[in-house]
């Protein structure tokens, strides 16, 4: 989907929010007081910065409390270039953006792989270090006394007499950030970011290069924030380390985004539209008791977080939806959708094909050997040998059953094939190529997809959005991905749920979604981990039908399964694992009758 | 050589207080899984209680300790009941932000109640020095260090020897499994939060003869405590103590060799380096976080 | 639950409307003379900001008690500015919403610069009696009137005094005195220290130790050790209050007290400093704007003498535990009172240009700060100078310049000196 199409789609989905954002430009013109104009300028500026923050932290659900550092890099770069070399801030802000990109690559490269709270704390640490640098590098930053931008009005200097030019610049900045967020939301990157935010490991198994995607988003977010920093400096015409890079600004950005609704394009804008004027007016209005305005603001924030942790925007949507229902008008579009890829429309818009397309081997070099070959694969956890020199071949187009008692290493085998666990020994060949050292997302893109035994839906995303994640292995186009996802959903019989949030599904539907997610990646090899466990007999039959039809369409399938009737009816061949070793391989009947297999199951039963 | 020894001793002495301020957080962070940015504000609260007791009755912070700790327990319990209990299962970003908002509210509440003045508790002890040869050991810091060590030891024994403590460790290891063993998560979370608050309160009252109290006094402590806790390997009490001492020594060394302007930058840098190369912390054995 | 949310939303939406109502109520006839005051009432500088605000209130009350300015009652509008960004916004609010034409402020230099930026565009005057960063009057702002000395000059004054009057008493030649400089690293400490540093260089005094620290520092032992090792003759130090006490305590504990301590402003001049460290403060110098002057200094003008007395009483009513007075408050009072009493009544009108014209043309021999009023084109009061004071028996005694001094320097070297 082109940028234009993305914008058009967003316009159709969120007409009210777009109108509000666009028309807000009139506000400073309508207000004849410089004070209110000043508040409008700040509202736009902070809305833009919060949007920029949201681009990474909101979609990935990884909070950065250090974004003021990028604000500072932008502010100091453009100001220092202007003061020392007379370079126009318009060019300076681009330079600041580039410097922020460099800083974000450095910071992101070292911190993005950290988990949750560690990442948060490391962003604080980086921001503090940069603040110390700003205080001590007096030659460039002027140290604590700060830098003062001389009052020489002119477009080239980005210094103006009145507030209105600043209002226009800040509004433009806000709209730029908003448009970028919207385009990202409706793109490969946006869907992938959301998936990473929900479940990084599952996203990687669907071909998402999480480190790369996150780093790109972090860098883009830093660069945009930095632009805001340059504008900040030009507006206040005075910067000092604490007022630009202090933690107060970082926290403010987050509060705006959270209050509005993080991870939604319009949330931060709405948050700033409400909170920036509110906090300024509270400070101006509650001067009698010092501290009162901060206290009131803190209490409001706590209340919002306690009772509406998703922010105000989703709440407004619900209210708008009710209003629309009450008036029976088609105005329900007011709210639109929270998370990317949540629209229910596309399934209808793109008539789905009856079954997913053929496996992705059409263009690949011809290969007659086994699709997958494990050569004495070992995996140990400390002293425990989960896989012990296991060798196994999977033939092109077959449906292989993988059985064995609990703890025999079946799921570990899947983890080793998909790269989720590094091998301790041996190697894995996929179509003759060694994939043992490849990362999970590389393996997924090569054509191996899996489902998880404990289902791993991206709970906050729509069912369709879930299925879209994998589709980006084959296409970069949003529309095509939607169509592919819709086809996968149809193949497992979930089309009717495509607009629902994944967390609302029941267990049977979740199992189907697991398959649809994997199927969207158009794998040539599909690894299914107990997709029938916990299902009713009817559902088991239905699932068997789905698996069989996938296999018929040309996809090689390996399934771990405990329900023996299903295994015997579906699989031509089974492999039996016990204590990390393959104890036999053959037709299902043979396996069931083998005394060795029986002993393995009985022994395991005794042992557990 | 004497200088270096002195720098190390001074660092260890401040480190003791950092350690005490942080063990409470280690408990809250480790057991409840809560990133509590309002932790420093409870330190501030305890310092104000110590100051009020001193100002009204002339009692030294050591004398008013029982009352102080009791009030801190109440404060911790109320905070848990009214706010934290509701967000126990929420996304960690929501928890973090609610504690940020709480810290903002508490700082401003203190400003409203006691104005921004610097309140000092000047007891005789304040400037006394323990003479140990060529080394200088400040008496209130030494007391703080000793009490910190004692409190940490008690906490350690509590965690190891009592049922409630064992339950806490179980929850820290694996909350879901602990529930299956019949442990009430809510109860354990509440206990951990209250104990954590009391411990940081203890740190606050021990600090009151050393620093003045004012509404923003706790602001830097929350981040500092987090760094200590992460360096120490999260929920580990001995780890937090080692982390606290390490931060104290690093701060002191950086101040002496690079200049006091770089003290904070030094431990932030240490923090990032440790996170990159040894994410399980310097003292921790177990890997990373689980429930976040 | 839903009700709570609705109430909350209603509150969110209503608050701006309410504030707007409050803002539009003052559009009546131009009977009052509207003035504003912007100080940090919350945040890290709130301690002195609140005292300054109290002082400005007292000044306004005094003037109103005397019938106002040019027959118009004064109306004071207050604003809280914890940081420069807020200061700029609040200045805009006072000027555009409340219609003030004069703003008193701002304590922190960063705030002062931010306010000046707004005043410059809006045609309001900033009477500055707190921010001492040199930049405020070096930037060509037409709106700034700074009644205090500049930070750079203050640091220089301290060095001058050490070289001229102290070195001899230590048995050293004026240019052989070994100096150490320790300052907090905000714009205040930086600008004063820079002045001291460059004057030391001019005079050829060796600076053997030079370090800065952040006010959030919790342990100053590194400074004490560094100082002990460098063994200077005199220490020049710039601090706020709590860090001044912590620094001095640490120097005591580590046996690192030099023979002479010259504090520059805020921290060491604060009564809290002497109160906290007690008798050990005897002999510590502090160079600062004139403070807590003996009433004899004002003998030449009984009116000012009475005003100072009245102010000190009124301030003590608000801050009963600050018997030693507050230097920040005295300066804030002096700025507001002198402007409103000595300048504004003589202006052709209460408009910007006329007020500025009056402020620049009128020369006053004496203000409540002990020095005169002589504002240059750049807005700096060139009659302002730093005094050299010394703590003696828990009181600030002025020992230099001679026309203001009310005592002689004692305790050189300090009896508690270790190095």
């Amino acid at each position: 989907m082109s940028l234009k199409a993305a914008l058009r789609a967003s316009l159709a989905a969120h007409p009210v929010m777009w109108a509000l954002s666009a028309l807000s430009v009139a506000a400073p013109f309508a207000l004849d007081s410089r004070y209110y104009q000043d508040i409008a300028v700040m509202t736009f500026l902070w809305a833009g910065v919060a949007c920029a923050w949201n681009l990474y932290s909101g979609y990935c659900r990884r909070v950065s409390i250090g974004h003021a550092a990028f604000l500072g890099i932008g502010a100091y770069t453009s100001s220092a270039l202007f003061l020392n070399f007379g370079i126009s801030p318009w060019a300076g802000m681009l330079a600041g953006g580039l410097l922020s990109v460099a800083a974000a690559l450095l910071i992101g490269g070292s911190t993005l792989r950290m988990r949750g709270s560690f990442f948060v704390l490391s962003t604080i640490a980086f921001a503090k270090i940069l603040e110390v640098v700003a205080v001590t590098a007096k030659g460039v930053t002027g140290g604590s006394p700060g830098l003062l931008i001389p009052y020489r009005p002119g477009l080239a200097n980005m210094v103006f007499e009145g507030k209105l030019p600043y209002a226009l610049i800040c509004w433009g900045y806000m709209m730029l950030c908003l448009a970028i967020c919207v385009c990202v939301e409706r793109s490969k990157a946006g869907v992938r970011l959301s998936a990473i935010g929900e479940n990084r490991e599952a996203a990687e198994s669907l071909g998402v290069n999480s480190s790369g995607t996150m780093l790109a988003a972090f860098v883009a977010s830093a660069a945009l924030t930095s632009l805001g920093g340059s504008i900040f400096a030009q507006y206040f015409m005075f910067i000092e380390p604490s007022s630009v890079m202090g933690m107060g600004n970082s926290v403010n950005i987050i509060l705006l985004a959270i209050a509005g609704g993080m991870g939604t394009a319009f949330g931060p804008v709405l948050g700033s539209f409400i909170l920036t004027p509110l906090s300024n007016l509270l400070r101006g209005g509650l001067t009698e008791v010092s501290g009162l305005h901060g206290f009131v603001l803190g209490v409001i924030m706590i209340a919002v977080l306690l009772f509406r942790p998703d922010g105000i925007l989703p709440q407004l949507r619900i209210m708008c939806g009710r209003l629309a229902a009450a008036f029976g008008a088609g105005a329900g579009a007011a709210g639109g959708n929270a998370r990317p890829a949540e629209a229910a429309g596309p399934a209808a818009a793109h008539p789905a094909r009856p079954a997913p397309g053929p496996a992705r081997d059409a263009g690949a070099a011809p290969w007659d050997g086994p699709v997958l070959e494990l050569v004495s694969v070992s995996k140990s956890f400390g002293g425990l040998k989960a896989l012990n020199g296991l060798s196994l071949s999977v033939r092109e187009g077959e449906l292989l059953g993988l059985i064995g008692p609990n703890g025999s290493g079946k799921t570990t085998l899947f983890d080793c094939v998909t790269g989720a666990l590094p091998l301790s020994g041996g190697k894995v060949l996929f179509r003759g190529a060694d994939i043992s050292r490849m990362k999970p997302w590389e393996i997924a893109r090569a054509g191996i997809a899996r489902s998880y035994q404990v289902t791993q839906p991206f709970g906050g995303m729509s069912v369709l959005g879930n299925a879209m994640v994998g589709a980006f292995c084959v296409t970069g186009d949003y529309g095509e991905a939607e169509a592919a996802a819709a086809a996968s959903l149809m193949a497992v019989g979930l089309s009717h749920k495509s607009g629902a949030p994944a967390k609302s599904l029941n267990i049977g539907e979740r199992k189907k979604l697991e398959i649809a997610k994997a199927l969207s990646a158009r794998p040539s090899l599909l690894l299914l981990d107990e997709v029938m466990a916990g299902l009713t007999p009817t559902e088991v039959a239905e699932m068997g039908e789905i698996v069989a039809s996938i296999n018929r369409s040309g996809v090689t399938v390996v399934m771990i399964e405990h329900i023996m009737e299903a295994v015997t009816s579906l699989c031509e061949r089974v492999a039996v694992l016990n204590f990390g070793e393959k104890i036999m391989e053959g037709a299902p009947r043979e396996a069931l009758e083998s005394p060795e297999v029986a002993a393995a199951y009985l022994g395991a039963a005794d042992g557990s | 050589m004497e200088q270096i020894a002195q720098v190390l001793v001074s660092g260890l002495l401040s480190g003791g207080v950092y350690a005490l301020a942080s063990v409470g957080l280690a408990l809250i962070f480790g057991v409840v899984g809560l990133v509590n940015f309002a932790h420093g504000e409870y330190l501030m609260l305890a310092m104000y209680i110590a100051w009020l007791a001193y100002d009204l009755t002339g009692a030294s912070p050591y004398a008013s300790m029982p009352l102080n700790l009791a009030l801190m327990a109440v404060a911790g319990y109320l905070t848990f009941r009214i706010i934290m209990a509701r967000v126990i299962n929420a996304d960690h970003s929501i928890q973090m932000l609610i504690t940020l908002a709480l810290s903002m509210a508490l700082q401003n509440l203190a400003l409203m109640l006691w104005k921004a003045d610097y309140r000092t508790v000047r007891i005789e002890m304040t400037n006394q020095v323990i003479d140990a040869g060529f080394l200088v050991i400040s008496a209130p810091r030494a007391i703080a260090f000793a009490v910190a060590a004692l409190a940490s030891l008690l906490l350690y024994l509590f965690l190891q020897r009592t049922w409630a403590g064992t339950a806490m460790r179980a929850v820290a290891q694996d909350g879901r499994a602990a529930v299956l063993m019949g442990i009430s998560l809510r109860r354990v979370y509440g206990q951990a939060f209250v104990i954590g608050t009391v411990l940081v309160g203890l740190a606050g009252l021990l600090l009151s003869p050393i620093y003045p109290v004012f509404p923003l006094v706790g602001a830097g402590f929350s981040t500092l405590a987090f760094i200590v806790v992460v360096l120490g390997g999260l929920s580990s009490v001995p780890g937090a103590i080692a982390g606290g001492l390490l931060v104290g020594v690093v701060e002191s060394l950086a101040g002496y060799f690079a200049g006091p302007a770089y003290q904070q930058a030094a431990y932030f840098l240490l923090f990032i380096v440790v996170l990159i190369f040894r994410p399980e912390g310097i003292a921790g054995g177990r890997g990373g976080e689980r429930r976040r | 639950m839903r009700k709570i949310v609705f109430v909350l939303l209603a509150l969110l939406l209503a608050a701006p409307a309410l504030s707007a109502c409050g803002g539009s109520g003052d559009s009546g006839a131009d009977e009052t003379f509207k003035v504003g005051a912007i100080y940090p009432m919350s945040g890290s500088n709130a301690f002195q900001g609140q005292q300054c605000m109290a002082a400005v209130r007292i000044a306004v009350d005094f003037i109103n008690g005397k019938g106002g300015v040019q027959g118009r009652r004064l109306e004071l509008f207050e604003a809280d500015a914890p940081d420069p960004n807020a200061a700029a916004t609040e200045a805009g609010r006072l000027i555009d919403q409340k219609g003030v034409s004069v703003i008193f402020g701002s304590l922190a230099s960063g705030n002062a610069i931010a306010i000046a930026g707004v005043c410059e565009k809006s045609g309001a005057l900033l009477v500055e009696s707190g921010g001492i960063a040199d930049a405020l009057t070096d930037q060509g702002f037409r709106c700034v009137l700074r009644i205090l000395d500049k930070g750079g000059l203050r640091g220089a004054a301290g060095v001058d005094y050490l070289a001229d009057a102290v070195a001899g008493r230590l048995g050293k030649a004026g240019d052989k005195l070994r100096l150490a400089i320790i300052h907090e690293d905000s714009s205040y400490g930086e600008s004063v220290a820079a002045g001291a540093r460059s004057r030391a260089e001019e005079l050829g005094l060796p600076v053997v130790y030079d370090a800065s620290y952040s006010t959030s520092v919790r342990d100053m032992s590194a400074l004490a050790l560094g100082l002990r090792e460098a063994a200077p003759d005199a220490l020049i130090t710039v601090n706020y209050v709590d860090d001044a006490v912590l620094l001095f305590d640490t120097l005591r504990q580590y046996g690192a007290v030099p023979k002479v301590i010259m504090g520059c402003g805020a921290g060491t001049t604060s009564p809290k400093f002497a109160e906290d460290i007690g008798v050990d403060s005897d002999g510590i110098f502090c160079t600062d704007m004139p403070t807590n002057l003996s009433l004899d200094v004002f003998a030449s003008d009984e009116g000012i003498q009475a005003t100072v007395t009245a102010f000190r009483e009124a301030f003590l009513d608000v801050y009963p535990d600050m018997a030693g007075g507050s230097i920040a408050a005295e300066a804030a009072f002096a700025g507001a009172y002198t402007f409103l009493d000595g300048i504004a009544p003589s202006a052709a009108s209460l408009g910007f240009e006329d007020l500025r014209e009056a402020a620049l043309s009128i020369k006053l021999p004496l203000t409540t700060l002990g020095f005169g009023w002589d504002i240059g084109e750049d807005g700096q009061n060139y009659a302002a100078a730093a005094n050299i004071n010394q703590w003696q028996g828990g009181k600030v005694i002025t020992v230099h310049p001679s026309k203001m001094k009310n005592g002689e320097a004692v305790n050189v070297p300090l009896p508690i000196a270790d190095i």
Side-chain angles (χ1 to χ4, degrees), chain A residues 33-36 38 42 138 144-145 148 151 160-161 232 238 240 243 278 280-281 283-284 287 290 293 307, chain C residues 1 12 15-16 19-20 41 50 78 80 84-86 89-90 92-93 96-97 110 113 121 139 185-187 190:
Chain A
S33 149
R34 294 170 72 104
Y35 171 56
Y36 289 138
D38 175 59
M42 298 228 266
K138 292 175 193 149
S144 294
L148 201 71
Y151 179 59
F160 305 96
E161 208 250 314
F232 179 98
F238 169 64
E240 54 170 30
S243 70
L278 181 71
N280 277 296
L281 294 172
R283 189 176 57 223
T287 48
S290 48
H293 63 83
F307 300 110
Chain C
M1 184 83 91
L12 285 174
S19 290
M41 304 291 284
Q50 294 183 351
E78 301 176 3
D80 170 18
N85 311 340
T89 301
E90 287 299 286
R93 179 175 71 85
D96 294 321
Q97 293 301 111
I113 290 173
K121 292 183 185 175
Q139 299 294 325
D185 66 2
S186 82
S187 94
E190 289 281 357

Side-chain angles (χ1 to χ4, degrees), chain C residues 35 90 101 122 140 318 344:
Chain C
V35 296
E90 287 299 286
S101 47
S122 314
V318 188

Side-chain angles (χ1 to χ4, degrees), chain A residues 408-499:
Chain A
S408 59
K410 305 183 295 292
T411 298
T412 307
L413 188 148
F414 275 13
D415 286 342
C416 286
V417 170
T418 56
L421 291 175
L423 300 186
S424 308
K427 58 183 175 175
V428 179
L429 302 174
F430 179 58
R431 300 179 156 268
D434 188 351
I435 58 167
S436 328
R437 297 277 170 274
M438 281 162 72
K439 299 201 170 68
W441 58 271
E442 290 171 328
I443 295 172
R445 287 188 197 177
I448 301 180
R450 73 176 293 181
S451 78
Y452 285 92
Q453 179 183 3
V454 177
T455 58
Q456 309 275 351
F458 305 117
M461 296 168 70
S462 70
V463 168
L464 184 74
N466 269 265
M468 281 174 74
V469 177
F472 287 114
C473 285
V474 242
T475 175
D477 183 89
Y478 192 86
E480 283 177 21
E482 268 185 338
S488 307
L489 291 180
M490 176 153 284
V492 300
L494 266 186
S495 297
H496 60 292
K497 288 279 187 183
S498 63

